[in-house]
């Protein structure tokens, strides 16, 4: 809603423009009236809508045409004043003033007009018969008010209607000729209905109506009031109420009724609560709330956001198969002005055998959007009504900004849930296959993917020590001469080469030496297409020699040419490395040379060392405390205690080893 209202009064000389302003201010008819009243500002606390109001007078005797044009351009609403006992002043409304105002305003942003018939105390008849045809001819005219500055009749009402015409205009909502809501208003109210229909059954039941009422007007409806509303709809249309709930048609009818009865502020209150501006577009402030993201921080959805998205999924998964069919996806996005997900999304996340996005895939896509483009995620949550349903100030409440990555490295732990792995390699090395295999698709399924539906991203969940984490794979285009900061910014790097192509490894070696040799980012070499015959690479070093020289783990064999879903162990390892990059600093593998170290090995070894140290401390302390005791009971107890600790430690080590 506007922060202030500017009202301009125009009209022929001697019709009483200045008298109306002075009567409003002093609450009495002035004995002496100046040619023009000074601009008056009415404070917000004394206006019905709690908005500061500026009232501007116009005098032909004191102002030039240029000054008039400037005032017209600044006005939010214009009151054209005529004298009810002066026919010439009425004729001038259509012959001079309305054409003049229209010429000085844009067709797409016309200011609302109020026709004001002053000096009603001088006649016994009404001028409405003459004015009604004018109102029907010009859509910009909001209303007509007859008043008297001398008797103070309808003075306050005049300026209230003028203020209301600005804050709650009828024009964007209703077409008086057709006597129905305008398409843009129907579209906005339909979205509001769908957002409020929490179970997506096409009906607003009593609970949903009460939630809607409380959301918009801060007060619930009494049971009898709810029944009265539904009875009004029943009396006027047959399909407005169904199963004792309000249908979309009934919802739209109620707002039509509000507007026809002059209560369009009710409809505007609803529209503005759901984020709409005066042009019935969702405001930038609503869709894109301010959120600060420091450098080296990432964005993730928090627990409440995932609960909300889960409820949206359940709301549209009509057949309860834990997947969204194409029709269910369309239904979900009906509250959007466009379809946000293209066919590439089905190749970015997990789908079922029919190619429909699963529940896990649905959450993964939201996680991907939030990580890569948080502003877009905020926009999407705005369309779905997150801040309204969860009664938050804005969608920003759904976002967690992670702490700086440097702090994670210093503390050797992280609270992040999403980790990015950039996949690099020469053309044809198997990068796309590596991404699709993460989504459980073997080579046979991958061949069905259309070229224009391919995605450079893949995201799904992995489990690291029982914790669910998202791994985001990004296929980087093979342009060795230029890799942007975005191509290099990640938590772990995959360098993929084709073991059957002799020129494939050279690209990986050059990229590593150019960009990652001095980086703290963990790197892994993937020997793709391992089901094929391995050929000698045209490079000075073999892949294994290269890894030994640069203290990397040996190349990891990988293939997606299998009858079943490809093995996913490598993705768990990548996630683990991304979570614990400091583990690279110590050698824990059998070769005793490489700096690559899986955290499972590191943590198991540290746990075993801790148990051994505890055992030594217990035996030593007990030995020192009981050094003077030489009897057999002491040694028996010490031996039993040592044995128990040794058995427990070995059992825990075996359990962890089996988990690996």
């Amino acid at each position: 809603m506007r922060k202030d209202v500017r009202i301009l009064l125009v009209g022929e000389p001697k019709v009483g423009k200045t008298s109306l302003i002075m009567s409003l201010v002093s609450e009495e008819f002035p004995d002496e009236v100046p040619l023009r009243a000074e601009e008056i500002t009415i404070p917000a606390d004394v206006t019905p809508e709690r908005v500061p109001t500026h009232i501007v007078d116009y005098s032909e005797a004191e102002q030039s045409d240029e000054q008039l044009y400037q005032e017209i351009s600044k006005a939010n609403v214009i009151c054209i004043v005529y004298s009810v006992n002066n026919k010439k002043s009425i004729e001038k409304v259509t012959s001079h003033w309305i054409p003049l105002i229209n010429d000085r305003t844009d067709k797409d942003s016309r200011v609302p007009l109020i026709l004001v018939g002053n000096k009603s105390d001088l006649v016994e008849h009404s001028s409405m018969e003459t004015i009604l045809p004018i109102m029907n001819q010009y859509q910009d005219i909001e209303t007509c008010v007859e008043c008297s500055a001398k008797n103070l009749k309808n003075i306050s009402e005049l300026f209230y209607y003028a203020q209301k015409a600005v804050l709650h205009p009828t024009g964007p909502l209703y077409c008086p000729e057709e006597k129905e809501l305008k398409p843009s208003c129907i579209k906005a109210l339909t979205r509001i209905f769908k957002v409020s229909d929490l179970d997506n059954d096409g009906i607003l039941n009593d609970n949903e109506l009460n939630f809607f009422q409380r959301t918009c007007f801060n007060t619930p409806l009494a049971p009898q009031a709810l029944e009265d509303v539904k009875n009004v709809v029943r009396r006027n249309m047959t399909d407005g109420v169904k199963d004792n709930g309000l249908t979309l048609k009934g919802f739209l009818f109620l707002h039509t009724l509000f507007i026809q009865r002059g209560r369009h502020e009710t409809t505007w209150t609803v529209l503005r609560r759901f984020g709409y501006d005066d042009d019935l577009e969702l405001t930038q402030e609503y869709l894109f709330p301010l959120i600060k993201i420091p450098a080296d921080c990432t964005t993730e959805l928090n627990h409440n956001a995932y609960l909300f998205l889960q409820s949206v999924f359940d709301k549209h998964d009509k057949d309860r198969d834990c997947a969204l069919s194409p029709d269910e996806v369309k239904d979900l996005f009906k509250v959007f002005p466009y379809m946000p997900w293209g066919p590439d999304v089905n190749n970015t996340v997990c789908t079922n055998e029919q190619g429909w996005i699963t529940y896990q895939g649905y959450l993964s896509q939201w996680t991907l959007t939030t990580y890569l483009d948080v502003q877009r995620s905020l926009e999407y949550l705005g369309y779905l009504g997150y801040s309204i349903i969860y009664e938050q100030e804005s969608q920003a409440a759904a976002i967690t900004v992670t702490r700086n990555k440097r702090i994670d490295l210093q503390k050797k732990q992280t609270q992040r849930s999403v980790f990015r792995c950039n996949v690099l390699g020469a053309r044809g090395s198997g990068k796309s296959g590596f991404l699709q295999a993460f989504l459980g698709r073997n080579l046979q399924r991958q061949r069905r993917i259309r070229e224009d539906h391919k995605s450079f991203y893949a995201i799904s969940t992995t489990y690291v020590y029982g914790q669910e984490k998202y791994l985001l794979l990004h296929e980087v285009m093979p342009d060795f001469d230029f890799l942007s900061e975005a191509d290099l910014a990640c938590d772990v790097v995959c360098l993929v080469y084709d073991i059957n192509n002799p020129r494939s490894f050279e690209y990986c070696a050059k990229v590593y030496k150019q960009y990652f040799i001095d980086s703290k980012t963990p790197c892994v070499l993937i020997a793709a297409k391992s089901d094929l015959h391995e050929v000698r690479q045209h490079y000075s070093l073999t892949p294994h020699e290269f890894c030994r020289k640069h203290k990397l783990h040996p190349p990891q064999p990988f293939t997606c040419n299998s009858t079943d879903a490809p093995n996913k162990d490598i993705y768990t390892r990548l996630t683990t490395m991304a979570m614990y990059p400091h583990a690279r600093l110590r050698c824990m593998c059998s070769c005793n040379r490489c700096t690559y170290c899986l955290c499972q090995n590191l943590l198991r070894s540290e746990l075993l060392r801790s148990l051994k140290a505890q055992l030594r401390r217990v035996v030593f302390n007990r030995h020192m405390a009981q050094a003077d005791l030489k009897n057999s009971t002491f040694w028996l107890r010490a031996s039993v205690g040592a044995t128990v600790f040794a058995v427990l430690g070995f059992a825990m080590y075996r359990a962890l080893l089996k988990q690996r």
Side-chain angles (χ1 to χ4, degrees):
M1 196 161 64
R2 290 182 181 274
K3 294 181 179 179
D4 61 358
V5 174
R6 190 175 181 86
I7 303 172
L8 173 64
L9 275 68
V10 299
E12 294 300 295
K14 305 296 183 181
V15 294
K17 302 184 294 297
T18 308
S19 299
L20 288 170
I21 297 172
M22 297 186 72
S23 294
L24 174 72
V25 175
S26 63
E27 296 185 348
E28 62 180 6
F29 186 69
D31 296 329
E32 294 182 8
V33 180
L35 291 175
R36 176 175 173 267
E38 294 296 324
E39 180 179 325
I40 293 171
T41 299
I42 302 176
D45 56 354
V46 297
T47 62
E49 298 292 342
R50 301 292 176 183
V51 176
T53 303
H54 311 281
I55 302 174
V56 182
D57 192 11
Y58 164 71
S59 172
E60 185 179 315
E62 287 196 355
Q63 292 175 284
S64 64
D65 289 345
E66 189 60 38
Q67 288 175 311
L68 172 61
Y69 301 154
Q70 289 178 1
E71 291 296 345
I72 290 174
S73 66
K74 291 190 291 184
N76 302 128
V77 57
I78 299 175
C79 296
I80 304 176
V81 185
Y82 64 91
S83 177
V84 294
N85 66 341
N86 186 336
K87 289 185 178 180
K88 186 178 179 181
S89 68
I90 298 176
E91 292 171 359
K92 282 284 188 176
V93 170
T94 54
S95 64
H96 175 68
W97 289 109
I98 293 179
L100 173 68
I101 293 167
N102 287 343
D103 288 343
R104 295 291 161 179
T105 54
D106 295 332
K107 290 182 179 180
D108 296 331
S109 57
R110 290 275 170 85
V111 294
L113 305 177
I114 306 288
L115 299 186
V116 182
N118 192 23
K119 304 185 181 182
S120 63
D121 58 294
L122 299 179
V123 296
E124 295 181 356
H125 62 274
S126 172
S127 62
M128 284 300 174
E129 290 185 7
T130 309
I131 296 301
L132 280 175
I134 299 174
M135 293 180 65
N136 293 331
Q137 183 181 353
Y138 296 97
Q139 295 183 13
D140 300 330
I141 300 175
E142 286 284 323
T143 189
C144 177
V145 182
E146 287 192 348
C147 57
S148 170
K150 187 173 183 179
N151 294 343
L152 305 181
K153 178 186 174 183
N154 288 341
I155 302 298
S156 298
E157 287 80 358
L158 156 64
F159 292 101
Y160 169 69
Y161 287 132
Q163 190 183 58
K164 188 176 175 181
V166 177
L167 302 177
H168 310 299
T170 309
L173 307 181
Y174 185 74
C175 180
E177 291 83 5
E178 303 293 334
K179 295 183 178 178
E180 60 184 25
L181 298 174
K182 288 188 173 180
S184 57
C185 182
I186 292 174
K187 182 180 177 182
L189 289 174
T190 300
R191 170 185 166 264
I192 292 169
F193 180 90
K194 287 190 69 66
V195 169
S196 304
D197 183 12
L198 302 178
D199 55 9
N200 198 33
D201 63 351
I203 299 169
L204 295 184
N205 57 40
D206 286 357
N207 289 333
E208 291 165 341
L209 281 171
N210 255 320
F211 179 80
F212 170 81
Q213 177 75 13
R214 192 173 66 253
T215 298
C216 296
F217 305 103
N218 296 319
T219 178
L221 280 173
Q224 187 57 48
L226 273 174
E227 283 305 311
D228 292 344
V229 167
K230 287 183 277 190
N231 287 334
V232 169
V233 176
R234 285 190 187 99
R235 285 196 297 268
N236 287 274
M237 59 192 318
T238 55
D239 52 355
V241 177
K242 181 182 177 183
D243 296 334
N244 203 35
L246 202 62
T247 66
L248 175 60
K249 287 186 177 180
F251 184 74
L252 295 175
F253 168 77
L254 274 180
H255 285 281
T256 306
L257 197 63
F258 290 146
I259 295 167
Q260 288 174 343
R261 293 183 178 180
R263 291 176 52 195
H264 34 283
E265 65 271 16
T266 302
T267 300
W268 274 115
T269 301
V270 171
L271 289 166
R272 287 185 175 123
R273 177 65 184 90
F274 279 78
Y276 290 93
D277 61 13
D278 291 348
D279 298 318
L280 297 185
E281 298 287 344
L282 290 170
T283 66
Q284 294 296 297
E285 292 79 9
Y286 172 78
L287 289 177
F288 305 104
L290 184 64
I291 182 171
K292 294 182 179 180
I293 306 168
D296 289 333
C297 297
T298 59
T299 47
E300 301 176 0
L301 295 167
N302 59 30
H303 180 64
N304 282 340
Y306 280 116
L307 288 178
F308 171 74
L309 292 171
Q310 178 183 344
S311 70
V312 173
F313 182 93
D314 293 340
K315 173 177 171 178
H316 293 89
D317 183 19
K318 292 289 190 180
D319 51 10
R320 296 291 182 264
D321 62 348
C322 289
L324 294 177
S325 69
D327 288 339
E328 289 170 342
V329 171
K330 286 180 183 177
D331 186 44
L332 190 154
F333 290 125
K334 276 184 180 178
V335 294
F336 285 58
Y338 57 87
M339 174 57 72
W341 290 0
D344 60 311
V345 172
N346 294 60
N347 299 313
T348 304
V349 299
C350 294
T351 58
N352 62 12
E353 290 298 324
Q354 296 168 285
W356 299 352
I357 297 172
T358 62
Y359 170 70
Q360 185 59 57
Y362 163 83
L363 292 182
S364 296
Q365 179 61 26
W366 277 99
T367 303
L368 172 75
T369 305
T370 305
Y371 185 92
L372 296 179
D373 189 350
V374 69
Q375 292 298 321
R376 181 161 294 188
S377 186
L378 290 171
E379 178 189 0
Y380 291 174
L381 288 170
Y383 293 137
L384 291 172
Y386 172 82
S387 61
I388 294 160
I389 301 300
Y390 268 55
E391 301 181 53
Q392 300 287 339
E393 186 176 343
S394 72
Q395 297 87 264
I399 306 299
T400 295
V401 179
T402 64
R403 71 184 179 188
N404 193 298
K405 191 175 177 180
R406 290 187 206 136
I407 299 175
D408 284 351
L409 290 172
Q410 290 169 4
K411 294 183 176 293
K412 298 184 179 181
Q413 61 179 356
T414 181
Q415 282 81 44
R416 292 163 59 201
S417 298
V418 187
F419 299 91
R420 177 169 178 160
C421 171
N422 283 353
V423 182
L424 298 96
R427 293 186 187 279
S429 60
K431 301 186 299 297
S432 299
F434 186 73
L435 265 67
Q436 290 301 311
F438 183 37
L439 305 177
R441 295 168 188 151
N442 58 22
L443 190 61
Q444 186 177 1
R445 284 188 65 184
Q446 292 178 30
R447 285 171 177 161
R448 301 178 202 155
I449 300 173
R450 288 173 47 177
E451 190 66 31
D452 56 336
H453 291 178
K454 286 186 175 180
S455 172
F456 292 107
Y457 291 94
I459 183 170
S460 188
T461 55
T462 61
Y463 286 86
V464 178
Y465 292 110
Q467 298 180 65
E468 185 182 55
K469 302 293 180 183
Y470 283 93
L471 179 64
L472 165 59
L473 301 179
H474 175 216
E475 179 183 344
V476 179
M477 296 301 291
D479 186 358
F480 173 73
D481 295 329
F482 176 75
L483 289 178
S484 66
E485 288 187 13
D487 296 331
L488 302 174
C490 58
D491 302 299
V492 62
V493 174
C494 260
L495 299 171
V496 181
Y497 72 97
D498 178 1
I499 67 168
N500 193 240
N501 182 348
R503 299 189 178 276
S504 184
F505 177 73
E506 183 181 11
Y507 178 88
C508 295
K510 287 182 177 179
V511 166
Y512 178 80
K513 291 168 71 176
Q514 176 81 15
Y515 296 104
F516 300 108
I517 193 168
D518 296 321
S519 170
K520 293 182 180 179
T521 305
C523 294
V524 182
L525 274 166
I526 302 295
K529 306 181 185 180
S530 61
D531 58 301
L532 302 178
H533 174 67
E534 184 172 5
V535 299
R536 181 174 178 80
Q537 296 293 322
H538 291 177
Y539 189 71
S540 57
L541 299 172
T542 68
H544 284 267
E545 290 170 344
F546 183 87
C547 290
R548 279 198 297 269
K549 179 180 178 180
H550 296 285
K551 299 182 179 179
L552 297 173
H553 194 69
Q556 300 292 296
F558 176 82
T559 181
C560 54
N561 189 9
S562 57
T563 54
D564 299 324
N567 189 291
K568 292 190 177 183
D569 287 350
I570 184 63
Y571 305 106
T572 303
R573 295 180 183 180
L574 290 171
T575 311
T576 308
M577 292 174 65
M579 288 178 66
Y580 304 103
H582 61 278
R584 300 174 66 243
L585 303 177
R586 302 188 62 183
C587 176
M588 290 294 163
C589 74
S590 56
C591 73
N592 234 1
R593 288 186 299 271
C594 75
T595 56
Y596 175 88
C597 172
L598 292 178
C599 276
Q600 288 95 332
N601 291 341
L602 175 67
L603 293 177
R604 289 188 188 105
S605 301
E606 288 180 348
L607 178 60
L608 188 59
R609 282 198 304 275
S610 174
L611 287 169
K612 287 180 178 178
Q614 278 188 352
L615 178 60
R616 283 196 297 269
R617 282 196 299 270
V618 168
V619 174
F620 178 76
N621 291 340
R622 183 165 294 184
H623 175 72
M624 294 299 294
Q626 305 287 344
D628 56 324
L629 298 178
K630 300 297 183 180
N631 58 65
S632 59
T633 305
F634 164 75
W635 290 110
L636 178 62
R637 289 176 179 174
S639 300
V640 170
T643 304
V644 168
F645 272 94
V647 170
L648 284 174
F650 184 72
M652 290 184 70
Y653 174 75
R654 288 291 300 274
L656 287 170
L657 199 62
K658 185 179 290 186
Q659 183 183 359
R660 181 186 176 192

